[in-house]
Amino acid sequence: IAGITQAPTSQILAAGRRMTLRCTQDMRHNAMYWYRQDLGLGLRLIHYSNTAGTTGKGEVPDGYSVSRANTDDFPLTLASAVPSQTSVYFCARLAGEDTQYFGPGTRLTVL
Amino acid sequence: DQQVKQNSPSLSVQEGRISILNCDYTNSMFDYFLWYKKYPAEGPTFLISISSIKDKNEDGRFTVFLNKSAKHLSLHIVPSQPGDSAVYFCAATYRNSGNTPLVFGKGTRLSVIA
């Protein structure tokens, strides 16, 4: 039902390293989103894209960048990872008018 | 300032009884509300939603109630089953935002005890 995949499933990363989290959908929906989930904080929006070629900042964008070269792919890049970016990252796509469907997540640990 | 609040971090309910999860919001522009269920090591799964033009939406064992004047919604699960044990997130959005961002609460962990 979700129609969205994420890779890798998990990753341990040294601080200062660059990392790209991959997200791909097979439903060709326009809008896609990146969230991070932290204990006690729920899900917070990092970046979003309404359509290929456009992106926007969410609630917690600092330290992250995204690109949307085509409809299906929406990678999230950490240019220089820091320990505070240790989190579980979820990519989502918009179906219909308002319902988002989420991928399985990437668990990232920055040491 | 937190726009969507789930004030109960956890809830325990006996199997077969009703589970009631609560959510409050502060932004009066929100006009669409959703509930997601999340199991460990999985992504959130859409459960049920309600538009602000309604006060109730039902889907099988799940019913969402919306009280706009109180800026309050609740999710009722009847009867509760052990498989319902998960973290439940309330989310809200306003449809004219252009990008339909979801604002999430912090979640309530439901434990259904057999």
Side-chain angles (χ1 to χ4, degrees):
Chain A
I1 293 178
I4 192 160
T5 59
Q6 293 184 237
T9 302
S10 65
Q11 181 74 46
I12 299 174
L13 189 67
R17 296 296 294 270
R18 179 184 180 89
M19 175 73 191
T20 295
L21 308 184
R22 299 185 298 279
C23 174
T24 300
Q25 63 154 330
D26 60 5
M27 305 296 283
R28 305 200 62 77
H29 287 125
N30 280 328
M32 297 183 74
Y33 309 84
W34 274 105
Y35 294 86
R36 60 178 288 174
Q37 186 199 3
D38 301 290
L39 193 64
L41 294 176
L43 288 145
R44 294 180 293 168
L45 182 67
I46 305 172
H47 284 287
Y48 64 91
S49 170
N50 287 335
T51 188
T54 68
T55 62
K57 294 181 179 180
E59 179 186 356
V60 288
D62 294 342
Y64 306 95
S65 64
V66 291
S67 61
R68 190 86 184 278
N70 57 64
T71 300
D72 295 342
D73 301 299
F74 189 41
L76 176 74
T77 297
L78 290 68
S80 179
V82 295
S84 62
Q85 292 178 308
T86 294
S87 186
V88 182
Y89 291 86
F90 291 103
C91 182
R93 63 172 179 86
L94 183 68
E97 286 188 28
D98 303 284
T99 303
Q100 293 183 20
Y101 292 89
F102 287 80
T106 293
R107 181 175 296 276
L108 181 68
T109 302
V110 182
L111 301 175
Chain B
D1 183 35
Q2 202 179 350
Q3 298 186 72
V4 177
K5 300 178 184 178
Q6 293 178 256
N7 291 319
S8 298
S10 62
L11 175 69
S12 290
V13 173
Q14 287 259 295
E15 181 180 7
R17 305 293 292 267
I18 184 172
S19 294
I20 300 176
L21 295 98
N22 293 304
C23 178
D24 297 294
Y25 61 96
T26 58
N27 190 336
S28 57
M29 291 184 66
F30 288 146
D31 60 5
Y32 193 70
F33 305 89
L34 308 90
W35 284 95
Y36 284 83
K37 178 170 72 173
K38 187 183 180 304
Y39 293 120
E42 295 184 10
T45 303
F46 169 71
L47 195 55
I48 192 169
S49 61
I50 188 167
S51 165
S52 60
I53 63 173
K54 296 184 176 182
D55 54 18
K56 176 183 175 181
N57 189 26
E58 191 172 350
D59 184 1
R61 297 187 296 114
F62 303 91
T63 303
V64 55
F65 296 92
L66 176 63
N67 182 334
K68 288 194 297 286
S69 60
K71 293 190 178 70
H72 177 83
L73 64 154
S74 60
L75 174 68
H76 292 213
I77 306 173
V78 183
S80 300
Q81 299 173 354
D84 295 328
S85 297
V87 177
Y88 289 79
F89 291 100
C90 172
T93 187
Y94 40 103
R95 287 177 161 171
N96 291 327
S97 67
N99 64 330
T100 320
L102 288 180
V103 180
F104 283 86
K106 294 182 178 181
T108 297
R109 182 178 300 277
L110 174 66
S111 299
V112 179
I113 304 162

